């Protein structure tokens, strides 16, 4: 599988970054303005669309913005045709990226007519896509141009480096979620988290660009349902689901004792088995193991994994007791909030024990992920019930990745119980309460996306033996970005 740390694309600004046109643009604006420009004019000139600068000049001169824009286009295009000069190191970097198979795009606030002149000078074949001021409703500093370039390339902004020379362009790229290499042309740019500042593109290597992309980590939580034993060919189906999820690390519950080891061996991954029920499998090396290896059916166990050189994450899996089950007590028995909360004591104790173990093994600067089947709803989903298990995790500093990605529980319920139980299994015909009881919580990471996962269309219980999905729970899959060093 492709690691989620890969550099997916490099997105280049044009004016002042790849070609020395900021000077040409400055001269064109001076010509149309009829006066020399000063440092005070930079925010309305550098990195701005022609329409913005034209409107700014119109306010000062009283001329129509439309006429001024036409004059600016003409003056700038004339200069570009005769004075385009690649910036130092630009062509060498473009050639190195092409040789390494890293796609590139041109992302400019200039109009298409001007961009085409520059593309001809640089070689249009150097770029897989181009986005100009004519192609999006909003241009820089809005994120739209960089988002459009990522869509055109089919890449994730978090896996891209944008190369920019102005604060306006930097703001656009960072708003889109890209890492930024800033190479200031006329105005200085300060360094910041997720932003590298260089004086020139000369000597910039692909390895440097790769290092600028923050490592990613895709985490999956999955209750295997008694190891998957109720479904034919369950191990092969489990492997297929994990591969299709793109997960880097999977926290497992109900492993049936051997699932973690068998899955890891089949995948060529690392694993930690804890007791008869818990396990973690990881594409990344496991550098430490936590928790009681003889933990019973319920409890928690964890590992520390090396995601990238010098970058580690703690990943814990937990399984909490299934009874009494709050949604049944609410829907079937009509219990109120106070009684529901009071009946969470066993699970709350198990969660607190898990959180204590996480805290005891924690290392400063190492993010943590806590996944599992908690067998209880979330206080973020039920407006009238402050479910204490998830609140305890929140109070310990853990955020719910699914609710970060999908804040509205009405619009995105995220139910994980149960894809095979549309009705209650007691034969009464009562609809089964569908609820979110499986989680990927985190502390110290950034959520890129989160989703539930079920493969195929599982047949309902008890006719489940031939299902493609070998579990009675949906899985939860979250993609994180690690913090930059």
């Amino acid at each position: 599988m492709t690691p989620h740390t890969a550099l997916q694309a490099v997105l280049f600004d044009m004016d002042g970054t790849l070609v020395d046109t900021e000077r040409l643009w400055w001269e064109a604006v001076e010509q149309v303005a009829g006066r020399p420009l000063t440092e005070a004019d930079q925010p309305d000139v550098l990195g701005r669309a022609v329409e913005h600068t034209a409107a700014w000049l119109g306010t000062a001169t009283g001329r129509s913005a439309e006429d001024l824009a036409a004059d600016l286009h003409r003056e700038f295009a004339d200069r570009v045709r005769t004075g385009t000069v690649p910036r130092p190191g630009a062509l060498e970097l473009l050639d190195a990226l092409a040789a390494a198979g890293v796609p590139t795009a041109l992302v400019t606030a200039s109009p298409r007519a001007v961009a085409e002149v520059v593309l001809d000078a640089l070689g249009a074949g150097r770029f897989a896509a181009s986005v100009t001021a004519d192609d999006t409703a909003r241009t820089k500093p809005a994120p739209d141009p960089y988002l459009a370039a990522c869509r055109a390339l089919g890449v994730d902004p978090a896996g891209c480096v944008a190369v920019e020379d102005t604060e306006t362009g930097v703001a656009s790229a960072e708003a889109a979620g890209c890492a930024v290499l800033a190479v200031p042309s006329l105005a200085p740019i300060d360094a910041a988290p997720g932003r590298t500042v260089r004086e020139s593109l000369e000597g910039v290597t692909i390895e440097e660009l790769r290092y600028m992309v923050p490592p990613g980590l895709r985490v999956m939580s999955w209750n295997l349902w008694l190891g998957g034993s109720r479904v034919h060919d369950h191990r092969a189906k489990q492997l297929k689901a994990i591969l299709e999820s793109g997960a880097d690390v999977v926290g497992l519950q109900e492993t049936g004792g051997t699932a973690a080891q068998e899955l890891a061996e089949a995948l060529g991954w690392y694993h930690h088995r804890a007791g008869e029920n818990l396990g973690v499998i990881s594409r990344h090396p496991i550098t430490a193991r936590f928790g009681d290896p003889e933990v019973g059916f319920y409890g928690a166990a964890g590992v520390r994994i090396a995601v990238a050189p010098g970058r580690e994450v703690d990943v814990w899996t937990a399984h909490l007791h299934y009874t009494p089950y709050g949604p049944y007590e609410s829907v079937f028995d009509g219990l109120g909030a106070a009684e529901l909360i009071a009946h969470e004591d066993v699970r709350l104790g198990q969660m607190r024990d898990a959180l204590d173990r996480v805290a005891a093994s924690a290392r400063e600067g190492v993010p943590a992920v806590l996944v599992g089947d908690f067998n209880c709803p979330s206080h973020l989903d039920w407006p009238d019930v402050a479910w204490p298990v998830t609140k305890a995790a929140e109070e310990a500093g853990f955020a719910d990745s699914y609710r970060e990605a999908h804040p509205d529980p009405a619009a995105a319920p995220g139910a994980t119980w149960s894809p095979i139980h549309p009705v209650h299994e007691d034969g009464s015909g009562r609809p089964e309460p569908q609820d979110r009881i499986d989680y990927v919580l985190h502390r110290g990471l950034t959520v890129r996306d989160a989703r539930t996962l079920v493969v195929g269309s599982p047949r309902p219980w008890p006719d489940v033996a031939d299902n493609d999905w070998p579990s009675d729970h949906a899985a939860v899959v979250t993609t994180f970005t690690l913090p930059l060093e």
Side-chain angles (χ1 to χ4, degrees):
M1 288 188 297
T2 302
H4 298 102
T5 56
L7 172 65
Q8 297 182 28
V10 180
L11 315 174
F12 288 92
D13 171 58
M14 184 179 77
D15 302 324
T17 300
L18 286 176
V19 291
D20 190 9
T21 53
E22 290 289 7
R23 172 182 53 83
L24 303 179
W25 173 243
W26 191 263
E27 292 172 357
V29 177
E30 285 187 325
Q31 177 67 31
V32 174
R35 66 171 176 83
L37 299 178
T38 69
E39 184 176 341
D41 300 318
Q42 289 179 354
D44 290 298
V45 176
L46 297 183
R48 290 293 190 174
V50 173
E51 290 72 20
H52 175 94
T53 303
W56 167 72
L57 286 174
T59 301
T61 64
R63 293 181 58 195
S64 77
E66 183 177 347
D67 289 345
L68 287 164
D71 290 347
L72 288 168
H73 276 302
R74 184 183 63 256
E75 291 290 340
F76 184 51
D78 288 346
R79 286 168 170 79
V80 167
R81 290 187 187 95
T82 59
T84 297
V85 178
R87 297 282 287 173
L91 296 183
E92 292 81 357
L93 180 55
L94 286 167
D95 289 343
L97 290 165
V102 179
T104 60
L106 188 73
V107 184
T108 178
S110 293
R112 172 64 63 181
V114 173
E116 294 293 348
V117 174
V118 175
L119 283 168
D120 287 343
L122 292 174
R126 297 179 187 272
F127 302 93
S130 61
V131 176
T132 74
D134 300 335
D135 301 322
T136 57
R138 300 182 300 172
T139 190
K140 304 174 185 180
D144 305 35
Y146 280 102
L147 293 175
C150 290
R151 286 193 297 271
L153 295 176
V155 297
D156 183 345
C160 298
V161 174
V163 187
E164 273 285 356
D165 75 309
T166 66
E167 286 281 8
T168 301
V170 167
S172 173
E174 290 180 343
C178 302
V180 170
L181 171 60
V183 187
S185 55
L186 294 179
I189 299 173
D190 294 330
R195 184 191 309 168
T196 301
V197 180
R198 291 279 298 265
E199 291 183 0
S200 167
L201 290 179
E202 287 185 296
V204 173
T205 67
I206 297 176
E207 283 307 309
E208 287 180 88
L209 294 173
R210 287 196 173 107
Y211 190 77
M212 293 174 196
V213 176
L217 184 69
R218 183 167 292 167
V219 180
M220 180 176 180
S221 181
W222 196 11
N223 182 313
L224 296 182
W225 189 24
L226 302 175
S229 58
R230 300 296 182 90
V231 175
H232 295 154
D233 203 19
H234 56 273
R235 195 68 80 230
K237 292 174 180 177
Q238 291 164 351
L239 287 167
K240 183 174 184 290
I242 291 169
L243 288 169
E244 289 183 357
S245 76
D248 299 303
V249 58
V250 186
L252 300 169
Q253 309 89 43
E254 293 197 37
T255 61
T258 62
Q261 180 175 347
E262 292 175 7
L263 289 168
E265 288 176 350
L267 291 163
W269 286 12
Y270 306 87
H271 80 280
H272 174 44
R273 170 182 173 177
E276 61 182 298
N277 178 49
L278 295 173
V280 180
I281 62 174
S282 172
R283 183 173 59 81
H284 299 292
I286 293 174
T287 59
R289 291 170 168 81
F290 308 121
D292 179 1
E294 300 304 321
V295 64
F297 195 80
Y298 298 108
V303 299
R304 179 166 293 149
I305 60 175
V307 177
R311 310 303 303 278
E312 294 181 310
V313 176
D314 290 349
V315 180
W316 284 77
T317 181
H319 192 195
L320 310 185
H321 206 287
Y322 78 99
T323 186
Y325 185 54
Y328 290 169
E329 293 189 313
S330 173
V331 176
F332 296 155
D333 303 332
L335 298 190
E339 291 174 289
L340 295 172
I341 291 170
H343 289 182
E344 291 293 313
D345 283 351
V346 171
R347 279 184 290 270
L348 181 57
Q350 292 170 337
M351 173 57 81
R352 286 174 173 162
D353 177 72
L355 293 170
D356 287 344
R357 292 179 184 274
V358 173
S361 65
R363 179 189 294 173
E364 185 176 357
V366 176
V369 179
L370 173 60
V371 312
D373 171 12
F374 297 171
N375 273 311
C376 65
S378 171
H379 67 288
L380 299 176
D381 297 352
W382 289 52
D384 299 324
V385 183
W387 297 101
V389 171
T390 53
K391 281 187 66 67
E394 183 178 78
E395 289 164 1
F398 281 91
D400 185 328
S401 67
Y402 187 84
R403 274 293 158 253
E404 280 193 59
H406 310 281
D408 184 356
T416 59
W417 180 266
S418 163
I420 66 165
H421 288 293
V423 297
H424 196 50
E425 60 182 324
D426 65 358
S428 64
R430 294 178 294 179
E432 178 76 0
Q434 302 294 306
D435 221 306
R436 191 169 68 98
I437 63 173
D438 300 80
Y439 301 87
V440 176
L441 311 182
H442 76 98
R443 186 171 62 199
L445 299 169
T446 299
V447 175
R448 280 162 49 182
D449 62 75
R451 59 192 176 96
T452 59
L453 174 66
V454 174
V455 174
S457 301
R459 286 177 290 277
W461 175 263
D463 185 24
V464 298
D466 292 320
N467 280 348
D468 291 329
W469 185 249
S471 177
D472 56 350
H473 286 246
V476 183
V477 182
T478 298
T479 305
F480 295 106
T481 299
L482 273 66
L484 287 162
E485 294 181 300

